[in-house]
Amino acid sequence: MSSARAQRRVAPTAYPWPTMTERPPEPILHLDMDAFYAAVEALDDPSLAGRPVLVGGAGGRGVVASASYEARACGASSAMPMAKARRLCPDAVVRPPRFDRYRQVSAALLDLLRDVTPLVEPLSLDEAFLDVGGSRRLLGEPVEIAAHLRARIRDALGLPASVGVAPNLHLAKLCSQRAKPDGVLHLRREEVAGFLAPLPVRALWGVGEATAERLARFGLRTVADVAAADPGLLRRVVGQAAATHLAELAAGEDPRTVTPYEPARSISAEETFATDVDDPEVLRRELLRLAEDVARRLRGEGVAARTVTLKLRYATFETITRSRTLTTPADDAAALHREVVAALEALRLQRARVRLVGVGGSNLVPAGAARQLDLLADDRWSRLERAADAAGARFGAGAVTRGALLDEAPTSGDAAPSSQAWRPAGGDDPVP
Amino acid sequence: MKFRAERSEFADAVAWALRSVGSRATLPALSGVLLDAQGDELHLSSTDLELSGTLRLPVQVEQEGRALVPGRLLGDIVRTLPNAAVEAAVDDDVLQLTCGRASFALRLMPAEDFPALARPAEDAAEATLKSEVFATTVTQVGRAASSDEHRPALTGVHLSTADGVLTAAATDSYRLAVRSVPWDAAVDAQALIPRRALDEGRRAAESLGADVHLLLEASQATISLPDRRLTTRLLEASFPEYQNLIPDTTERRLRVDRAALLETVKRVAVVGEANTSATPVTLSLTGDTVEVTAGSGEVGKAEEALPGELEGEPLQIGFNPRYLSDGLEVAGGEEVTLEFRDELKPAVLRPAAEPEDGGDFLYLLMPVRL
């Protein structure tokens, strides 16, 4: 099998004429929606069109998840504290994130992408890698496919997207960032070295602020510096594994391949508290709210979780997870909550200060699959939750909620909690 | 302390004592076995603070005294000794063990660190059960207990006594086993006993074949046999009100050969076990036939039919094969009856004839929704 494939890749050079089955030199597309959440808000509320829009939590630690290009013009950007963004952009309309809606649009987007090739790897709700190397004969050159996709997305979804076309994943992603907004950038193989050389080291995948600073101390500021650096020096600065990785990326190489997406492996929700929490009662109540969110989405997808995970980040930023696998897969908040609270109690926290809690369901099975019934479990909760789903579908999410959550329930859009999925990573966050 | 014991008896006694040895590093004394030679007996004691055991072994005592010996090491040594008399003598803080030409010196632990062993109160009410009644009861009920430490109440066996009947019950929330046996103590008591203590008691009762004395107290329970005694702390969690779970009406009753159904279920379930999650077996009941099927298109299918008399409308119902075969295994008797209301309500499994040793057994199991 593999030798046949290798031959096919090599063979065309032996032919006297070029063939359309030859793999193109730049087969990878990185498609990134422009200011996705903000664009969806503007799509659903045309009065926002052309105005600065900030999507994110409005609370004390609220962070901008997405900023429209109009908002970016005044200096606001995603991952910026909301308070700061509002100061920079006092005219901006602030909207709480509506992840269910974004997920819905994202699903439609993925369907469009999969029409082009089965090799689609979503990175988050609003970006994906595609390998169109095999689609040439049917659909044309990668750059034509990119143009076609952007047009389809605008027609079908009414949203702008930017696409990078490049020899590999890392370069395609760099290209799409430079194509924004609403553009295409095609990087040819022979242009790679010149393209990369002047970029700051931060452009390399995996280089954060700390690594960039360390590299700068050794005079390595641009990708060209890293590419020319002595391998020994690079090893001493960032360690063996990272050195190999950086040298590769700086040389314009990336061994990763596009790994097609498989159906959701996990569904989760988490919450960062406005101030650190040490009250177990508050933790339990927040876990209940998150369990409700996860349970509702599990039911929405028609799946149940065999494994339930508690995630906890302490004030020290130390993050732990604890998982339990159930005999009976769960898709109701009561069961999810019971498990995460048991996991929480097993930690025996002595009033440790907690910054973030999360609830996750994984090891998903179809909810319709055979299910062991429980003698002691009261199925009234799960029936109640299904009824609440139905009410939510008619009157909006949160139409029916638990009494325990009422005093915490948002009273207006502004106070909406900044609950966010762990995966896919939300927002316009540039980290792959 | 100095004594002389027969090797295999001594080895068995040490092995038994090791079953309740503690493993907590914070209290090293709990990892020891306390040897106490007095009169013409050696008492071996161990405890992990939940379960405490004491065994009396007839030996030749030359000098009375106590010694706390590292448990695992003693066990490892005694197991490998040649078949000859074992001589043990304490010399300062060392236990000298001699057997044939082999000799060992074990460093002792301070005996005063060993906690006072839990023991029943002098006036605790005691009831006697025949060894096989006790062993069967524990086997029948213990199987349904949970091993999920997050639900402590379900890891125990609930004992209650009233009107001359002892009722033992356990549930892991998917099935419930309830056994009642005649009880000769005049007290009414309730106790939630860790399953492990009862299993140890059962093992001892089976090997000794002797009557078992059971003493239930407010915070502990004791199982006493002629040469040994086990005292366990009770679980503090509250056991579910299981009497309410047992249906008082039924719409269908199946009477079927126990061994035949058990074998069929086990055979058919093999197909399901190819899957990671427990695939249910489906029973399709019609007038005189039980058809057992399992599997799906993905892995493969199995089906087998056997005769069974059904009173009531035909029914199709799924079960976790392990829960069903556990019940069939422990129910005993030639034939069993299974009572159903519908495919989503618990089924009740009982031996068709009353158990020979008196009392009553029922096994309630929740179906799998197909």
Side-chain angles (χ1 to χ4, degrees):
Chain A
M1 268 305 276
S2 64
S3 69
R5 207 164 56 201
Q7 267 174 15
R8 199 171 60 199
R9 227 181 271 175
V10 175
T13 56
Y15 282 82
W17 61 88
T19 89
M20 288 299 278
T21 54
E22 188 185 351
R23 197 170 156 79
E26 295 95 29
I28 305 298
L29 268 49
H30 179 258
L31 183 135
D32 197 355
M33 303 300 288
D34 298 325
F36 181 54
Y37 301 167
V40 173
E41 294 303 326
L43 180 72
D44 291 350
D45 179 355
S47 76
L48 299 182
R51 296 178 59 190
V53 178
L54 298 169
V55 176
R61 281 185 188 167
V63 167
V64 177
S66 175
S68 71
Y69 280 86
E70 291 80 5
R72 292 181 196 202
C74 15
S77 68
S78 56
M80 175 181 281
M82 184 58 85
K84 184 177 174 193
R86 281 177 131 167
R87 268 200 310 278
L88 290 169
C89 197
D91 300 334
V93 183
V94 178
R95 287 288 162 98
R98 296 180 300 147
F99 290 103
D100 285 340
R101 171 70 177 137
Y102 308 148
R103 270 182 216 107
Q104 190 188 355
V105 178
S106 178
L109 170 68
L110 281 176
D111 286 343
L112 293 180
L113 302 186
R114 291 204 181 95
D115 284 347
V116 168
T117 170
L119 294 177
V120 176
E121 179 179 352
L123 294 176
S124 64
L125 292 180
D126 61 343
E127 57 175 323
F129 284 122
L130 293 83
D131 184 336
V132 297
S135 313
R136 192 182 204 179
R137 186 168 183 166
L138 275 172
L139 302 170
E141 295 298 328
V143 70
E144 293 162 15
I145 296 176
H148 158 79
L149 266 179
R150 288 183 357 96
R152 284 278 289 147
I153 292 168
R154 178 158 301 279
D155 287 351
L157 303 179
L159 293 170
S162 297
V163 181
V165 184
N168 61 43
L169 279 70
H170 179 237
L171 294 169
K173 176 139 181 149
L174 287 177
C175 289
S176 71
Q177 301 317 302
R178 270 152 197 79
K180 279 176 173 298
D182 204 9
V184 180
L185 180 63
H186 179 199
L187 179 65
R188 290 186 175 76
R189 212 169 258 284
E190 55 275 18
E191 302 163 351
V192 169
F195 170 80
L196 277 176
L199 297 182
V201 289
R202 284 292 298 268
L204 297 176
W205 174 57
V207 176
E209 207 168 316
T211 311
E213 256 175 48
R214 219 160 351 159
L215 289 167
R217 259 182 270 141
F218 290 84
L220 307 176
R221 290 191 174 75
T222 65
V223 176
D225 295 339
V226 175
D230 170 58
L233 171 72
L234 210 50
R235 260 202 307 280
R236 282 197 301 282
V237 180
V238 296
Q240 174 72 60
T244 314
H245 167 78
L246 282 190
E248 229 168 41
L249 295 181
E253 285 156 22
D254 182 0
R256 290 174 300 164
T257 55
V258 174
T259 312
Y261 170 86
E262 284 158 34
R265 293 225 188 96
S266 68
I267 288 180
S268 52
E270 62 185 43
E271 173 77 12
T272 304
F273 294 112
T275 51
D276 296 335
V277 166
D278 63 359
D279 180 350
E281 207 36 60
V282 175
L283 290 180
R284 272 198 286 275
R285 193 169 54 194
E286 188 53 37
L287 287 173
L288 178 57
R289 203 180 62 73
L290 295 171
E292 285 204 326
D293 181 22
V294 172
R296 192 167 37 77
R297 281 158 51 201
L298 287 168
R299 292 192 295 270
E301 303 239 341
V303 293
R306 281 185 63 83
T307 302
V308 179
T309 301
L310 166 75
K311 178 177 175 182
L312 212 59
R313 178 169 298 147
Y314 298 111
T316 57
F317 274 85
E318 184 199 350
T319 305
I320 57 160
T321 58
R322 291 288 180 273
S323 295
R324 296 201 59 210
T325 294
L326 316 176
T327 318
T328 313
D331 67 357
D332 61 302
L336 298 179
H337 186 240
R338 188 174 62 232
E339 298 303 332
V340 290
V341 166
L344 179 70
E345 278 167 5
L347 291 172
R348 297 180 197 288
L349 299 183
Q350 306 280 341
R351 294 239 147 213
R353 298 197 310 131
V354 175
R355 181 184 167 81
L356 170 153
V357 286
V359 175
S362 56
N363 213 340
L364 305 180
V365 298
R371 184 184 298 207
Q372 172 68 50
L373 302 176
D374 195 306
L375 266 172
L376 306 175
D378 195 341
D379 71 337
R380 278 176 303 179
W381 270 126
S382 77
R383 274 187 285 155
L384 212 60
E385 287 181 27
R386 275 162 225 282
D389 284 354
R394 281 184 66 185
F395 306 114
V400 180
T401 188
R402 279 182 166 73
L405 297 176
L406 266 185
D407 52 344
E408 288 284 293
T411 47
S412 75
D414 264 12
S418 67
S419 156
Q420 188 176 328
W422 306 344
R423 192 188 310 151
D428 295 343
D429 192 343
V431 178
Chain B
M1 184 190 75
K2 193 171 179 187
F3 65 86
R4 199 178 154 89
E6 201 270 317
R7 189 213 74 113
S8 67
E9 282 177 7
F10 185 54
D12 287 351
V14 170
W16 189 79
L18 281 177
R19 303 189 71 93
S20 48
V21 141
S23 56
R24 268 184 267 189
T26 46
L27 280 170
L30 297 185
S31 68
V33 172
L34 185 72
L35 305 180
D36 185 356
Q38 44 179 282
D40 51 4
E41 282 180 342
L42 177 70
H43 294 197
L44 297 94
S45 307
S46 59
T47 179
D48 60 9
L49 297 183
E50 180 189 278
L51 182 64
S52 308
T54 295
L55 182 148
R56 294 189 301 275
L57 182 69
V59 297
Q60 253 178 284
V61 176
E62 287 180 33
Q63 195 187 341
E64 295 193 337
R66 286 154 37 104
L68 184 59
V69 190
R72 300 271 161 232
L73 184 56
L74 179 65
D76 290 346
I77 290 172
V78 178
R79 224 186 352 263
T80 56
L81 288 179
N83 216 349
V86 180
E87 272 186 38
V90 169
D91 181 9
D92 200 10
D93 65 343
V94 169
L95 178 72
Q96 293 286 349
L97 272 182
T98 322
C99 180
R101 291 203 218 157
S103 75
F104 301 84
L106 274 76
R107 178 85 50 193
L108 298 179
M109 302 192 282
E112 57 274 20
D113 290 355
F114 195 73
L117 218 57
R119 56 171 64 241
E122 295 289 335
D123 57 351
E126 178 180 302
T128 307
L129 296 168
K130 293 247 170 278
S131 73
E132 60 283 5
V133 172
F134 178 78
T136 322
T137 302
V138 172
T139 308
Q140 286 183 316
V141 172
R143 196 73 74 88
S146 171
S147 51
D148 183 349
E149 295 300 326
H150 283 84
R151 304 177 82 178
L154 305 188
T155 63
V157 172
H158 184 261
L159 298 184
S160 60
T161 65
D163 306 328
V165 175
L166 168 72
T167 307
T171 178
D172 61 4
S173 91
Y174 305 115
R175 63 269 177 73
L176 162 75
V178 184
R179 171 72 202 257
S180 56
V181 293
W183 172 256
D184 59 11
V187 288
D188 288 354
Q190 302 239 348
L192 186 55
I193 303 188
R195 181 187 169 184
R196 175 177 153 225
L198 289 173
D199 276 338
E200 292 299 342
R202 170 185 58 80
R203 213 166 290 165
E206 280 171 346
S207 68
L208 296 174
D211 285 358
V212 176
H213 304 282
L214 195 56
L215 298 89
L216 302 182
E217 296 171 87
S219 65
Q220 62 182 26
T222 301
I223 300 160
S224 173
L225 289 133
D227 70 343
R228 64 191 77 182
R229 193 183 68 214
L230 275 167
T231 299
T232 179
R233 266 201 346 218
L234 301 184
L235 291 167
E236 280 169 15
S238 73
F239 195 72
E241 297 282 338
Y242 64 89
Q243 294 295 353
N244 309 334
L245 301 173
I246 301 169
D248 41 17
T249 59
T250 182
E251 291 177 10
R252 301 169 171 88
R253 180 180 282 112
L254 172 75
R255 193 179 169 108
V256 64
D257 185 274
R258 182 177 71 92
L261 181 57
L262 176 60
E263 279 174 28
T264 304
V265 167
K266 286 191 157 176
R267 226 180 345 256
V268 166
V270 171
V271 181
E273 281 157 13
N275 260 337
T276 45
S277 57
T279 312
V281 292
T282 305
L283 306 190
S284 304
L285 314 174
T286 48
D288 55 3
T289 308
V290 182
E291 195 185 38
V292 184
T293 54
S296 64
E298 284 170 39
V299 190
K301 283 185 185 172
E303 56 178 77
E304 187 172 339
L306 70 159
E309 271 171 58
L310 177 71
E311 292 167 39
E313 293 295 301
L315 176 72
Q316 193 172 58
I317 187 168
F319 292 109
N320 177 319
R322 190 164 67 83
Y323 298 161
L324 179 56
S325 56
D326 275 354
L328 289 167
E329 259 166 31
V330 299
E334 290 260 317
E335 286 188 312
V336 291
T337 61
L338 272 156
E339 293 172 356
F340 309 94
R341 286 173 67 194
D342 60 39
E343 71 280 3
L344 298 177
K345 297 275 175 17
V348 183
L349 171 71
R350 286 193 175 93
E354 217 171 79
E356 283 168 22
D357 45 20
D360 189 21
F361 175 68
L362 86 78
Y363 186 88
L364 188 70
L365 83 158
M366 274 312 259
V368 170
R369 193 183 64 206
L370 297 169

